[in-house]
Amino acid sequence: MATTSNVPRPTFGPRGFVIPSSQQVLDGVQADINSAFGGGLNPSLETPQGQLASSEAAVVLNTDADFLFLTQMFDPAFAFGRYQDALARIYFISRNPAQPTTVQCLCTGLQGVLIPQGALAVAADGNRYVCTQDGVIPVSGQITLPFDCVLPGPIPCPADTLNQVYQSIPGWDSINNPSAGVLGNNVESRAAFEARRAASVAHNSIGTLPSVLGAVLTVPGVIDAYVTENTSNAPQVIGGVSLLPNSLYVAAAGGAPNDIVRAIWSKKSPGCAYNGNTSVVVLDQSPGYVPPYPAYSVSYQIPNPLRIIFNVNINNSTLVPADAATQIRNAIVGAFAGLDGGLRAKIGAPVFASRFYAPISLLGPWAQIVSIRIGSTNAAAATFTGSINGNTLTVSAISSGTLAVGQNVLDASGAVVAGTSIIALGTGTGGTGTYTLSNSLTVATETMQTVAANLFEIGININQIPTVTAADVAVTLS
């Protein structure tokens, strides 16, 4: 038989399904009960019929909430967890598992020695790193090869800490990382997965920049990628990088070079020029070809790590814990890798100091931020020639800028330890002369730079990927 109810049903409006309020559901249930018993019932919730109405209304409201939740999970803007995984499967992609920190290492040894994929090295913190690409040491005696941490996740690898060969290979003498590693990821976050799903929409096309980007982002181990092109007949500077005429530019962090260039090749037909610091020969094994297959050299850019220097000032109070600096540093490193649910720092994308207000504020009521400032060598305070002996920096020549107390000292070789800053003037007052440093080091004469963390925004070139280590985060109280 047909049944009717006074309980309102969910309705579908311009912004999706709308469920009735708890009062509307309760009123409807009470009306149904009153009608079933012939009318005249006391509607007070303290009565037996009132308690029955409250229980039935709760059941209806829970069912409505489950229904509303399910309908929202069909929208990629809101979906998460298993529902987001299901939507992504329509696009033939799956959530990335935890990815390792990747490091570019300088391997030194005898000419002709093969350092195979799978070779192991150990960092100062005890974590092992595995080589992801075969390499033969050239006549120079040095070769740069990528290494991935065996343990996945955002494990920091500061410069000059990956410096021990784990498995002896005759002729391979030493290893070191002049620059900090690119932080890995935990299991791909909801925001990062949705951004990659959106980019993958063009994955099935060929020739367009989004199709190349989508293909590269699906390569296992790729943490970040950037794609652009120069369609003119003359060189052009795009994103701080000079690109060849009629050329494609791809930057990718992480992943095996062979897999990356194969992904690029699959989406970009022959005929264009390539840019970058890494080249691999791709064989065209399309149907109809027989060995020897046509061979093409495909290049892409492994982005250079760009250290971001932080100066965080918080209000001093009795609530500030003893480990406040450690907590703040961990929060910044985590947010840099996107562990707070936001997007990680990316190739070619500006870094904003305001990005890190929320993760620090969430540490507790004691984290009352006075200011956050950032800096990098893209806006160096000074460029100079200098050497370090103990805690003394000796500046012999100035190329540009002025040195000052509080500035961090950096170099391209990685010999200057992260977190090294000028703490006092010696004979130098901004130019040539001596300066006192916060760390004791021995560094031969080389080109160095100083950086002041005094900016709200840092522009990142398309051949750079931002990195951060705890040592580069200064925390002060005021």
Side-chain angles (χ1 to χ4, degrees):
M1 67 179 190
T3 59
T4 59
S5 173
N6 293 292
V7 178
R9 299 166 59 89
T11 57
F12 189 79
R15 302 184 65 180
F17 279 99
V18 179
I19 61 175
S21 67
S22 57
Q23 188 60 53
Q24 290 173 322
V25 172
L26 178 60
D27 291 344
V29 171
Q30 286 183 319
D32 288 348
I33 292 177
N34 190 55
S35 175
F37 285 91
L41 294 180
N42 184 353
S44 174
L45 297 182
E46 288 76 21
T47 63
Q49 60 269 21
Q51 294 182 25
L52 178 63
S54 295
S55 298
E56 290 191 14
V59 172
V60 173
L61 286 168
N62 286 339
T63 302
D64 284 351
D66 288 342
F67 172 75
L68 181 62
F69 172 79
L70 181 61
T71 60
Q72 290 175 331
M73 290 301 101
F74 289 106
D75 185 344
F78 302 102
F80 64 89
R82 183 66 185 87
Y83 296 95
Q84 188 184 31
D85 291 339
L87 287 175
R89 285 172 65 88
I90 299 173
Y91 300 90
F92 303 101
I93 65 172
S94 58
R95 190 183 305 272
N96 282 333
Q99 295 171 309
T101 294
T102 182
V103 190
Q104 296 297 313
C105 292
L106 188 65
C107 299
T108 303
L110 298 176
Q111 178 186 357
V113 171
L114 170 67
I115 300 177
Q117 180 177 345
L120 293 172
V122 181
D125 61 4
N127 279 300
R128 287 182 294 167
Y129 287 75
V130 60
C131 184
T132 59
Q133 176 188 353
D134 290 342
V136 176
I137 299 176
V139 65
S140 65
Q142 295 181 325
I143 184 173
T144 299
L145 293 173
F147 282 73
D148 286 353
C149 187
V150 172
L151 184 66
I155 298 173
C157 185
D160 298 316
T161 59
L162 184 49
N163 50 23
Q164 181 181 348
V165 177
Y166 183 74
Q167 292 175 321
S168 177
I169 295 177
W172 180 19
D173 298 332
S174 63
I175 183 173
N176 190 46
N177 60 315
S179 301
V182 178
L183 289 174
N185 289 323
N186 286 332
V187 174
E188 192 169 26
S189 68
R190 198 212 75 82
F193 193 22
E194 171 55 21
R196 190 163 62 89
R197 183 208 62 80
S200 74
V201 172
H203 186 196
N204 293 327
S205 65
I206 294 178
T208 66
L209 297 185
S211 69
V212 177
L213 178 61
V216 172
L217 286 174
T218 60
V219 173
V222 169
I223 296 172
D224 189 21
Y226 186 96
V227 177
T228 189
E229 64 182 341
N230 176 14
T231 58
S232 73
N233 293 325
Q236 276 193 340
V237 176
I238 299 176
V241 178
S242 179
L243 304 187
L244 297 171
N246 301 304
S247 66
L248 175 71
Y249 176 88
V250 178
N258 287 337
D259 296 336
I260 292 171
V261 299
R262 176 60 65 178
I264 296 171
W265 168 257
S266 70
K267 297 300 179 181
K268 196 67 174 178
S269 301
C272 75
Y274 297 98
N275 301 271
N277 56 11
T278 303
S279 299
V280 178
V281 173
V282 175
L283 300 180
D284 187 352
Q285 297 177 319
S286 301
Y289 286 125
V290 296
Y293 295 111
Y296 302 89
S297 180
V298 178
S299 299
Y300 77 99
Q301 179 77 27
I302 296 178
N304 304 312
L306 179 70
R307 285 167 56 188
I308 306 299
I309 310 299
F310 283 80
N311 188 344
V312 181
N313 183 245
I314 65 171
N315 181 52
N316 192 8
S317 73
T318 57
L319 297 176
V320 177
D323 66 341
T326 298
Q327 290 192 48
I328 290 172
R329 290 175 180 130
N330 290 341
I332 288 176
V333 171
F336 225 83
L339 301 186
D340 62 342
L343 293 178
R344 63 179 294 133
K346 298 177 69 64
I347 300 168
V351 175
F352 298 97
S354 59
R355 164 71 174 88
F356 303 93
Y357 275 77
I360 293 176
S361 297
L362 291 174
L363 293 175
W366 59 267
Q368 300 177 23
I369 301 170
V370 177
S371 65
I372 301 178
R373 300 288 189 274
I374 54 179
S376 80
T377 53
N378 282 4
T383 300
F384 58 93
T385 301
S387 61
I388 301 174
N389 184 12
N391 291 90
T392 301
L393 165 66
T394 301
V395 177
S396 55
I398 293 283
S399 298
S400 63
T402 303
L403 286 79
V405 172
Q407 295 174 352
N408 284 60
V409 180
L410 293 82
D411 67 338
S413 69
V416 179
V417 176
T420 300
S421 62
I422 300 175
I423 59 174
L425 301 178
T427 61
T429 57
T432 57
T434 61
Y435 299 81
T436 302
L437 301 181
S438 58
N439 292 320
S440 179
L441 308 168
T442 300
V443 180
T445 300
E446 63 173 358
T447 299
M448 302 179 187
Q449 293 178 299
T450 57
V451 172
N454 56 7
L455 303 174
F456 293 106
E457 175 185 353
I458 293 174
I460 310 297
N461 295 337
I462 61 174
N463 65 343
Q464 298 174 323
I465 184 166
T467 63
V468 69
T469 61
D472 284 329
V473 180
V475 179
T476 57
L477 305 178
S478 65

